Amino acid sequence: MGLASDLKRLRNVECKDKCVLSVYLNTGPNQQGDWNIHLKNGLKRIGEYLEASGNEAQQKSFKKMRKKVEDELGKHRNDLARSLVIFASEENDLFETYYLQHDVETAFHWETKPVLEPLEALQATYPSTGVILTNLDHVTVLDTSLGHIDAAFSFAFDPETEEWVRFEGTASGDRMASSSSQVDKFDRRLAENLNRFYRDLAQTVEQMKGAHDWEGLVVIGEAELANSFRDELRTKPERVIHKNLSKSSEPKIIEAAFH
């Protein structure tokens, strides 16, 4: 399920009394380990507030959630992204974690429901989107959310069957070594059938859009190829970007797709 579905579900979480711990923690390289101090101090302040309130039920619940958060950070302290968002509660056994590639403002909340506004703002900037990188003999479809590539699905042209072959991972577009005459024949057959291949693949992308709960599509590639693929899509893309980024880094692709 995509983030949009997660947010919809999280909006429905609410208790009569305070029961939900929301953690927004900046863990980027510029923190130089200070995130651990911010985590301890933030959780300590909530604990002290609950002790002063005398609400033993909340104290007990908070201590359980605090331990789950600290255990989560302990397991992943060496492979953290730039920020971490956690929603934890005994209500419905809630424990949702999001490792993000964008900075968030560090904050800790103990409320009757999850504090979602910062995550919703980030999701509005980087909605769940299918990003299609078009090339002549391969197409890569990226499943993105919150400005991060969650999965890559590549479709390469098989000259033997003249069909697209799907596999997970990043397509390199490399072909087996062959004579120049074989390559020329391959390129000619591919060019002659490109519209048909793109038409079939566009239908697959439309199915993926529903399966991955994408809010939109972005097509990136050299002008002729990107425009050809756009024309085969039933869903109008949010953007069509005329750049060849098939060998570019993840941050560069995300930057081009969303800005």
Side-chain angles (χ1 to χ4, degrees), residues 81-102:
R82 287 174 60 176
S83 60
L84 172 64
V85 177
I86 297 178
F87 303 109
S89 175
E90 287 189 285
E91 185 78 9
N92 297 324
D93 197 27
L94 174 67
F95 195 78
E96 295 285 346
T97 62
Y98 300 91
Y99 291 87
L100 309 180
Q101 298 296 333
H102 299 275

Side-chain angles (χ1 to χ4, degrees), residues 28-182:
N30 60 332
Q31 293 298 303
Q32 297 180 340
D34 290 344
W35 63 263
N36 196 32
I37 297 174
H38 297 318
L39 176 69
K40 290 181 178 179
N41 289 342
L43 295 176
K44 181 181 177 182
R45 280 194 293 270
I46 294 177
E48 290 173 343
Y49 167 79
L50 291 176
E51 285 182 16
S53 73
N55 190 319
E56 294 184 4
Q58 284 198 45
Q59 290 180 52
K60 183 178 179 181
S61 179
F62 170 72
K63 286 179 181 178
K64 289 181 180 179
M65 296 305 102
R66 175 176 182 168
K67 185 178 187 309
K68 290 189 72 172
V69 168
E70 290 173 338
D71 288 347
E72 177 72 13
L73 268 295
K75 287 188 295 185
H76 298 281
R77 63 182 306 115
N78 294 323
D79 56 352
L80 294 172
R82 287 174 60 176
S83 60
L84 172 64
V85 177
I86 297 178
F87 303 109
S89 175
E90 287 189 285
E91 185 78 9
N92 297 324
D93 197 27
L94 174 67
F95 195 78
E96 295 285 346
T97 62
Y98 300 91
Y99 291 87
L100 309 180
Q101 298 296 333
H102 299 275
D103 293 335
V104 299
E105 183 176 350
T106 295
F108 304 85
H109 307 271
W110 179 252
E111 301 292 344
T112 59
K113 56 186 179 180
V115 175
L116 300 174
E117 289 79 5
L119 188 61
E120 288 174 328
L122 191 58
Q123 196 253 353
T125 303
Y126 300 100
S128 299
T129 301
V131 177
I132 301 104
L133 303 176
T134 60
N135 292 273
L136 185 61
D137 62 346
H138 69 280
V139 172
T140 300
V141 181
L142 306 175
D143 176 21
T144 76
S145 62
L146 294 173
H148 178 260
I149 297 176
D150 297 322
F153 306 92
S154 295
F155 301 82
F157 178 66
D158 183 347
E160 298 299 324
T161 63
E162 296 193 357
E163 298 291 345
W164 290 101
V165 178
R166 172 176 170 169
F167 56 96
E168 289 196 29
T170 304
S172 66
D174 295 338
R175 298 201 292 262
M176 294 179 63
S178 59
S179 67
S180 60
S181 62
Q182 288 176 316

Side-chain angles (χ1 to χ4, degrees), residues 4-30:
S5 298
D6 287 356
L7 288 172
K8 183 178 181 180
R9 176 169 47 80
L10 288 166
R11 291 187 192 104
N12 291 326
V13 175
E14 187 167 6
C15 318
K16 292 181 179 180
D17 207 352
K18 293 182 179 181
C19 73
V20 182
L21 176 62
S22 299
V23 174
Y24 288 84
L25 185 63
N26 194 330
T27 56
N30 60 332

